[in-house]
Amino acid sequence: MKTFPIGGVHPSDNKKWSCGRAIEVAELPDVVNIPLGQHIGAPAAAKVAKGDKVLTGQLIAEASSFMSANIHSPVSGTVTAVDMVPNGQGLRQMMITIKREGDEWMPEIDRTPEIKRECALDPAAIIAKIKDAGIVGMGGATFPTHVKLSIPPGCKAEYLIINGVECEPYLTSDHRTMLERGEELLVGVEILKRALGVDKAVIGIENNKPDAIAHLRALIADKSFAVGVEPLKVQYPQGGEKQLIAAVTGRQVPPPPGLPIHVGAVVCNASTAVAVYEAVQKNKPLIERVVTVTGKSVSEPRNLLARMGTPVAKLIEKAGGLPEGDVKVVNGGPMMGRAMVNLDSPVTKGCSGITVLSGVEARRVQESPCIKCAKCVGACPMGLEPYLISKMSRKKMWESVEGERITDCIECGCCQYSCPAGIPLLDHIRLGKQTVMGIIRARAAANAPKK
């Protein structure tokens, strides 16, 4: 079975807790906090002020640059504040607070269940609707989708790859979306193909989801969709963009500034394809998403369709609440997710799951000295030397760490997972990567021609 050629690990997937749970609609919260930065790039600019009335689906913040995304109100009601509010990590972030009053939608949004398959829009019009709807990558990367579809001069798309891998342990939101919204997903794939001008489209799914593979293949045969389904070997981090491209096409994306389009590939998440269908065919902006709430000690794991801005605490409550004892709540999965200190923080566009770890899982192994075993090197899917990069980051050797390609790191956590010494390699590499990227941006600004 196909997979990527370098590194990777195979943690227990722990998906049995929630993969059989059908998607349920979460209750609407009384108050929502909507962050203006739910995407890679500059935060959106607020278009509403305290006291304004808004409808569900109304534009409340506008993309402020090319690498930015629109934000729409997930509820109807009154804006009570546009101010700094703590996010899940306790850092203050600009948010729009709305007190819900009913649930009155913008009139142009089609809320009927009928599936609309035919799309006659030209590529520019499709990309414009996707941009207007504020769609971003919903697998966690939150890269604005309209930017990904805007092919740079000199490049040509050959493949559209749909990421249905969901390799992160515990999470099943994409799995359930493929099972329950398969036809909408496939229409979304056809729309994306039209936007890119490509004929080849492949949905990559790890073979621990045989029901999703069989379901989509049956739909494709029955409805005559021109899409392939490629079962992949279970190997983390197969859902990484570069790893998925290598697994499906055999092509290697060059190091930064190399992009997937440089090997003719565009990758979109499975849930993103459904959001594209809703935006183009139903005029529905991205205001809700499926969130897995799971963990071995969670009494009622769920896959919940939640509006953006819903407090994470409300979703955990719906799943039976927090277990007793030592508990760590992670926004995302245990490999790439981030521990939360504020459970009143909101669900955002990139929040695919909330993982509750308890007992031994919630505690870190005590760190001991590096024994130079090189397990982290063998596990790195980018061919880096994590032990060296981590040590240089600790010592603030920024020029050296840049030379060791720290910006190539995809922050998958394979190094930290495989380290027998319990060294928090990823933590130090993340901090170093942020610092080096800031140095690179400052250097570029200093060298830019004066206007």
Side-chain angles (χ1 to χ4, degrees):
M1 226 167 241
K2 291 183 176 180
T3 189
F4 55 95
I6 303 172
V9 294
H10 193 173
S12 176
D13 64 23
N14 287 312
K15 294 180 184 289
K16 64 182 180 180
W17 314 108
S18 59
C19 68
R21 301 275 185 162
I23 298 170
E24 304 172 58
V25 178
E27 295 178 6
L28 295 180
D30 294 328
V31 177
V32 294
N33 288 307
I34 313 299
L36 299 185
Q38 297 186 54
H39 48 266
I40 286 176
K47 304 295 287 183
V48 293
K50 183 177 179 180
D52 288 351
K53 298 285 186 180
V54 295
L55 300 178
T56 302
Q58 180 178 328
L59 180 70
I60 57 173
E62 193 169 38
S64 60
S65 68
F66 177 67
M67 191 66 73
S68 187
N70 290 342
I71 295 172
H72 301 76
S73 178
V75 296
S76 60
T78 302
V79 176
T80 58
V82 181
D83 205 350
M84 303 292 280
V85 177
N87 64 14
Q89 284 66 53
L91 303 175
R92 295 177 67 79
Q93 184 179 0
M94 186 63 72
M95 302 191 194
I96 296 172
T97 303
I98 302 171
K99 180 181 179 182
R100 182 175 65 85
E101 296 162 1
D103 190 28
E104 187 178 350
W105 289 58
M106 293 288 287
E108 66 267 22
I109 299 174
D110 181 356
R111 301 175 64 197
T112 61
E114 288 78 17
I115 294 175
K116 293 182 177 179
R117 181 165 175 179
E118 299 302 320
C119 175
L121 297 177
D122 62 34
I126 291 172
I127 293 172
K129 291 198 79 168
I130 290 170
K131 179 181 179 181
D132 289 345
I135 297 175
V136 301
M138 295 172 68
T142 66
F143 194 94
T145 303
H146 69 276
V147 177
K148 185 172 285 191
L149 298 177
S150 302
I151 307 302
C155 296
K156 178 176 173 56
E158 300 175 51
Y159 290 92
L160 169 65
I161 301 174
I162 300 299
N163 188 347
V165 170
E166 199 165 44
C167 62
E168 180 78 51
Y170 286 99
L171 306 187
T172 57
S173 57
D174 284 341
H175 187 176
R176 293 310 311 181
T177 296
M178 289 186 286
L179 284 174
E180 300 182 45
R181 305 202 63 188
E183 190 167 355
E184 294 100 314
L185 186 158
L186 292 171
V187 176
V189 173
E190 294 293 344
I191 292 169
L192 288 166
K193 285 170 59 182
R194 188 178 182 89
L196 292 167
V198 300
D199 298 320
K200 299 175 186 175
V202 179
I203 304 172
I205 307 175
E206 284 191 327
N207 67 349
N208 61 354
K209 305 173 187 64
D211 50 354
I213 293 169
H215 176 63
L216 290 178
R217 281 179 166 171
L219 273 177
I220 288 166
D222 182 51
K223 304 289 184 179
S224 300
F225 286 99
V227 183
V229 175
E230 184 70 64
L232 301 169
K233 180 182 176 181
V234 177
Q235 180 85 342
Y236 180 86
Q238 191 112 245
E241 197 170 52
K242 295 180 179 181
Q243 286 67 41
L244 182 57
I245 292 168
V248 172
T249 71
R251 301 180 181 184
Q252 294 286 339
V253 178
L259 298 170
I261 193 61
H262 294 148
V263 294
V266 174
V267 180
C268 285
N269 172 263
S271 294
T272 305
V274 174
V276 166
Y277 162 78
E278 292 183 325
V280 175
Q281 303 294 76
K282 298 283 190 172
N283 297 314
K284 180 184 173 184
L286 184 53
I287 58 170
E288 59 186 1
R289 67 156 302 137
V290 180
V291 180
T292 302
V293 185
T294 183
K296 293 178 182 177
S297 54
V298 172
S299 60
E300 301 174 50
R302 308 273 183 171
N303 292 293
L304 298 170
L305 182 64
R307 302 277 179 93
M308 307 308 175
T310 301
V312 167
K314 292 290 184 184
L315 302 189
I316 294 174
E317 183 182 323
K318 181 73 173 175
L322 291 176
E324 295 183 359
D326 293 337
V327 172
K328 180 187 291 183
V329 179
V330 178
N331 187 335
M335 296 296 287
M336 293 188 75
R338 294 176 182 262
M340 302 183 68
V341 299
N342 174 25
L343 299 186
D344 290 325
S345 64
V347 169
T348 60
K349 296 178 182 181
C351 178
S352 56
I354 301 296
T355 306
V356 179
L357 306 175
S358 60
V360 174
E361 280 190 310
R363 295 191 291 270
R364 284 195 169 184
V365 177
Q366 185 172 352
E367 182 179 349
S368 59
C370 174
I371 59 173
K372 304 294 189 298
C373 66
K375 285 188 175 181
C376 63
V377 178
C380 180
M382 297 303 296
L384 305 177
E385 296 183 300
Y387 76 93
L388 178 62
I389 294 173
S390 172
K391 189 172 184 178
M392 287 178 170
S393 293
R394 281 185 172 190
K395 293 178 176 294
K396 300 182 180 181
M397 299 167 64
W398 306 131
E399 186 175 334
S400 297
V401 87
E402 182 181 350
E404 292 293 332
R405 299 166 37 222
I406 193 172
T407 55
D408 284 17
C409 174
I410 61 172
E411 302 180 28
C412 64
C414 287
C415 56
Q416 193 158 306
Y417 175 83
S418 62
C419 179
I423 300 171
L425 297 167
L426 178 59
D427 294 353
H428 297 299
I429 292 171
R430 270 180 172 160
L431 290 170
K433 182 180 172 182
Q434 290 172 5
T435 302
V436 169
M437 290 180 73
I439 291 169
I440 291 171
R441 286 193 295 269
R443 185 193 305 145
N447 294 335
K450 299 290 189 293
K451 291 185 178 180

